[in-house]
Amino acid sequence: MGFGKYLIIRFLNALVVLALVTILVSALFVKVAEQDLTNTIQERVNGELQALQRQGHAPENPDEWRAERIKFYRHQYHLDKSYSWRVFYYAKRTLTLDFGNTKSPIFGTERNVKGIISKALPRTVLLFTTAQIIIILIGILLGVKAAQLVGSAFDRGLSVIAMVMSSIPMWWFGMIMLLVFSFKLGLFPSNSIPDPNLTGTAHILDYMKRMVLPVLTIVTVSFGGWAWTTRNIMIGTMQEDFIMAARAKGVPERKVIYGHALRAAAPPIVTMTIFALLNSMGGAIITESVFNWPGMGRVYWIALQTNEINLIMGLTFMNVALYLAGVIIADVAYGFLDPRVKVGASAQV
């Protein structure tokens, strides 16, 4: 099987999985939305009837008028269709990126789900992907150094720091950072964007200043786990025969570590990197709520609070699509980085 054919098969498999997950999620949320839409229709019809009565144009038969209006709205929201029809209808819309609109505006006057996501995603990338890149760089550098100095004070200290920091809830640490550096010392603002509707635009320097506390919180809590994982991967690699042979030949230690050991340990590290970067685009509900950062996690929380089914469907679809993209990229990258893994041409000798 050639590489191109292999890649097409992997892509088609991902599409099938995405379709199945979308149908499953649609089946769940369509049932939840049915009751919500029923209540919304009742409230809207009652509001219209009260408005007509105040204007002196009340219908002669209010019950019959109400029943007709309810029938009209049920048809508009497809509630007069069968459950299975609605599941596949909304799944098809989601797969074609037609997420619809929200019941109330999220970012100022924005009600289109794609428009909301297009505003939230860059903000999440700006914060979490930036923090994740810093975490990866620090984690790899510290992990490699700890693997070189196994059993040393540096190695033991890094192990303790990694264990302690990984056990601290990020939201709690974020609140401590706000309490100390924002409310006590007044060095950094407590909000991400001053507009309560999350519609404000700030100068790049203002954005950077507002990013300091959340980025520092994310990096401090997360870098230890990356360093510890990299250390363990490198220790296993550095015990391989080709590393010992390189040292026996007199190859400089720096070249042995970074030219041989780290290169051989690259596949799992690159896989972790790919998933970490893609997962960072999904944001974090609690962390973004603590810092009032208007990203994907914050929008997800707003959608859950306000029962915005269309927005939840759109965000869930984006997260699943990003995860599947990560699987494909990691699979292909692993095959190129590790010669023992054959990608595409496994049957050709």
Side-chain angles (χ1 to χ4, degrees), residues 63 157 182 230 246:
D63 292 335
S182 180
T230 304

Side-chain angles (χ1 to χ4, degrees), residues 147 230-243 261 265:
T230 304
R231 168 197 179 273
N232 293 337
I233 294 173
M234 286 293 293
I235 288 176
T237 303
M238 290 171 65
Q239 294 175 351
E240 296 288 344
D241 293 339
F242 70 92
I243 298 295

Side-chain angles (χ1 to χ4, degrees), residues 8 13 22 35 89 104 138 153 155 246 249 261 267 288 337:
I8 292 174
N13 287 340
T22 302
Q35 184 60 45
Y89 171 75
S104 57
I138 295 176
D155 181 35
K249 292 178 181 179
E288 290 186 13
L337 292 169

Side-chain angles (χ1 to χ4, degrees), residues 5 62 71 77 110 137 151 165 194 263 293 304 326:
K5 186 177 181 180
K71 182 180 179 180
Y77 291 113
E110 185 65 68
L137 294 176
M165 298 311 300
R263 184 177 179 181
W293 188 265
L304 291 173

